[in-house]
């Protein structure tokens, strides 16, 4: 592997780990009601727990992705289907105004009016599809 490619792989690894750590801190903030972990500054909207979980899943999939094969590995398929399934549940919740909140599957806490925005759900859906159909 050329030196330049090794540096890019290293940068990718560090960035994915940073995303996972930040998302885990957000989930801890929701679980233990620590406001500073849920939002950067007072007055800003807190990150939704489902958003944090999707960030963890996608970043983990990128970390687990190996360059040796040209076809998606089973891990990519599982992660892509998990994210796609969660986003389809979220679409059903947002579009049909159901009482089923996929956000509360992982963290049961007072959310107030914090909910994942529709564009965020679309972005995660497209990201999971790109992740699924991308070749290494």
């Amino acid at each position: 592997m050329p030196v330049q490619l090794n540096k890019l792989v290293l940068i990718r690894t560090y960035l994915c780990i940073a995303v996972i750590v930040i998302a885990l801190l957000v989930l801890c903030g929701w679980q233990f009601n620590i406001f500073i972990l849920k939002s950067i500054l007072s007055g800003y909207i807190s990150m939704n727990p489902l958003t944090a979980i999707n960030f963890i899943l996608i970043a983990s999939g990128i970390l687990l992705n190996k360059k040796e094969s040209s076809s998606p590995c089973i891990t990519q398929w599982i992660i892509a289907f998990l994210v796609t399934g969660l986003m389809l549940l979220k679409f059903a919740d947002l579009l049909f105004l159901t009482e089923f909140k996929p956000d509360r599957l992982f963290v049961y806490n007072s959310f107030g009016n914090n909910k994942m925005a529709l564009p965020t759900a679309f972005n995660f859906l497209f990201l999971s599809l790109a992740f699924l159909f991308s070749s290494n």
Side-chain angles (χ1 to χ4, degrees):
M1 216 186 251
V3 175
Q4 190 68 22
L5 191 56
N6 281 339
K7 287 182 182 177
L8 290 175
V9 170
L10 191 62
I11 291 170
R12 177 191 73 174
T13 302
Y14 288 148
L15 291 175
C16 285
I17 290 171
V19 167
I20 291 170
V21 167
I22 291 168
L24 286 172
L25 287 173
V26 168
L27 289 176
C28 287
W30 278 107
Q31 189 64 39
F32 302 113
N33 202 20
I34 304 169
F35 182 77
I36 193 72
L37 295 179
K38 295 189 279 186
S39 180
I40 292 178
L41 295 172
S42 180
Y44 282 88
I45 297 173
S46 301
M47 182 188 290
N48 187 281
L50 192 56
T51 303
I53 289 167
N54 282 324
F55 275 130
I56 291 169
L57 288 171
I58 295 291
S60 299
I62 292 170
L63 278 177
L64 296 172
N65 189 11
K66 300 294 181 203
K67 287 295 211 184
E68 287 83 30
S69 69
S70 61
S71 63
C73 65
I74 190 73
T75 311
Q76 275 183 281
W77 285 86
I78 291 171
I79 289 173
F81 282 122
L82 277 173
V83 174
T84 302
L86 287 171
M87 290 303 93
L88 291 176
L89 286 173
K90 189 62 189 176
F91 286 139
D93 176 44
L94 290 172
L95 296 176
F96 302 118
L97 303 172
T98 65
E99 289 301 315
F100 176 71
K101 306 289 183 209
D103 317 85
R104 279 127 176 103
L105 285 175
F106 305 100
V107 177
Y108 189 76
N109 204 337
S110 175
F111 283 79
N113 60 0
N114 183 297
K115 62 181 179 181
M116 182 184 284
L118 192 58
T120 304
F122 272 115
N123 285 333
F124 275 116
L125 178 66
F126 292 137
L127 185 60
S128 67
L129 293 175
F131 190 65
L132 179 64
F133 295 114
S134 70
S135 62
N136 296 332

